[in-house]
Amino acid sequence: MIRTDKLVKIYRTDEVETMALNEVNVEIAEGEFVSVMGPSGCGKSTLLNVLGMIDSPSGGAYYFNGEEVGGLSERKRANVRKHNLGFVFQSFNLIDELTVYENIELPMLYTNVPSAQRKQRVEELLEGMNIMHRRNHFPQQLSGGQQQRVAVARAVVNKPKLILADEPTGNLDSANGDEVMKILADLNAAGTTILMVTHSQYCAEFGNRIIRMLDGQVVTENVVRQYL
């Protein structure tokens, strides 16, 4: 599903040049759950942003489903994103002015899903995430764990091939963090590919493989368990 060839990302200002990714080679097969670990500033979130087509690489190649996408225009990247990718962030990134129902529904509006199908899909997820009773609440009326469940529901509402999760338990207590990790594990068991950045060894071991980064490079890869 994902392959990079000497992927480079450089951030430049008038006085400073920072190499966030230094010739990174990674491969992620369909159906895998891969965790990326490393100290702050090692490049793991930059890697997630490039692989999620939020940012473009400065050099090297990025292949998604066999297509080189690193050099696509922002418009074309956005089109690939909305049909293939779902995102879960540490800070939830819900829209305060929208209800739980509306936050989850939003990605389907961008992909022109008919109203009846939107309603059915959102209600399935509200039930599945045990937040149906919160459907008309706003994000600020929810606990952190509930907000992250809404964020996960929004990420999967269009049934993406790949979910990218950036520290999905970072703002949660251990009980709510456990709940979110089990949801991600269940999604992976159902066939969704997951790439997750985390500082937590415990969370990382929910994946089948752990990639460790340092100074913009992959330094080790360890198989936790074989994926099916």
Side-chain angles (χ1 to χ4, degrees):
M1 175 177 279
I2 282 175
R3 180 170 67 87
T4 70
D5 183 18
K6 296 183 178 180
L7 198 68
V8 172
K9 181 61 183 180
I10 298 171
Y11 293 106
R12 294 184 176 92
T13 65
D14 291 340
E15 299 178 355
V16 179
E17 181 176 285
T18 303
M19 183 171 284
L21 298 177
N22 185 3
E23 298 192 353
V24 170
N25 297 316
V26 296
E27 290 192 31
I28 298 170
E30 187 171 349
E32 277 201 281
F33 186 153
V34 177
S35 304
V36 181
M37 299 191 75
S40 297
C42 72
K44 55 188 186 297
S45 289
T46 300
L47 179 64
L48 203 73
N49 287 340
V50 172
L51 297 183
M53 297 174 234
I54 294 171
D55 210 346
S56 56
S58 306
Y62 169 29
Y63 298 90
F64 181 77
N65 282 341
E67 178 187 3
E68 211 294 314
V69 295
L72 294 180
S73 67
E74 168 53 29
R75 182 176 180 179
K76 289 182 177 178
R77 289 205 313 272
N79 192 53
V80 176
R81 273 200 313 268
K82 71 182 180 181
H83 288 101
N84 294 281
L85 308 181
F87 296 88
V88 180
F89 301 96
Q90 177 177 350
S91 54
F92 316 134
N93 284 16
L94 300 175
I95 298 174
D96 288 340
E97 294 76 22
L98 299 182
T99 64
V100 164
Y101 184 102
E102 291 165 340
N103 266 284
I104 297 171
E105 180 187 37
L106 189 60
M108 291 189 291
L109 297 176
Y110 293 131
T111 50
N112 301 312
V113 176
S115 176
Q117 289 182 34
R118 294 200 309 269
K119 183 175 186 293
Q120 179 181 0
R121 179 65 175 151
V122 173
E123 289 183 350
E124 284 175 359
L125 287 167
L126 287 167
E127 288 283 3
M129 299 284 179
N130 195 29
I131 46 176
M132 178 64 82
H133 61 298
R134 296 291 196 180
R135 61 179 292 162
N136 295 318
H137 287 69
F138 292 93
Q140 60 269 28
Q141 296 174 299
L142 307 179
S143 68
Q146 289 170 335
Q147 288 188 62
Q148 195 61 298
R149 273 185 275 162
V150 175
V152 172
R154 181 185 60 186
V156 303
V157 73
N158 273 332
K159 300 182 179 179
K161 295 182 175 71
L162 172 67
I163 291 177
L164 299 114
D166 193 356
E167 297 282 0
T169 65
N171 283 336
L172 303 177
D173 60 33
S174 58
N176 280 308
D178 241 12
E179 194 172 305
V180 167
M181 290 310 305
K182 287 172 182 171
I183 290 170
L184 292 176
D186 288 345
L187 289 167
N188 178 244
T192 304
T193 307
I194 296 177
L195 177 62
M196 177 181 69
V197 162
T198 182
H199 278 105
S200 165
Q201 181 70 31
Y202 171 76
C203 291
E205 290 178 0
F206 276 81
N208 61 274
R209 184 156 55 101
I210 299 174
I211 294 172
R212 296 184 187 275
M213 296 185 68
L214 184 67
D215 297 334
Q217 296 180 306
V218 172
V219 289
T220 63
E221 292 190 40
N222 301 106
V223 175
V224 177
R225 67 184 64 82
Q226 295 296 328
Y227 77 101
L228 302 178

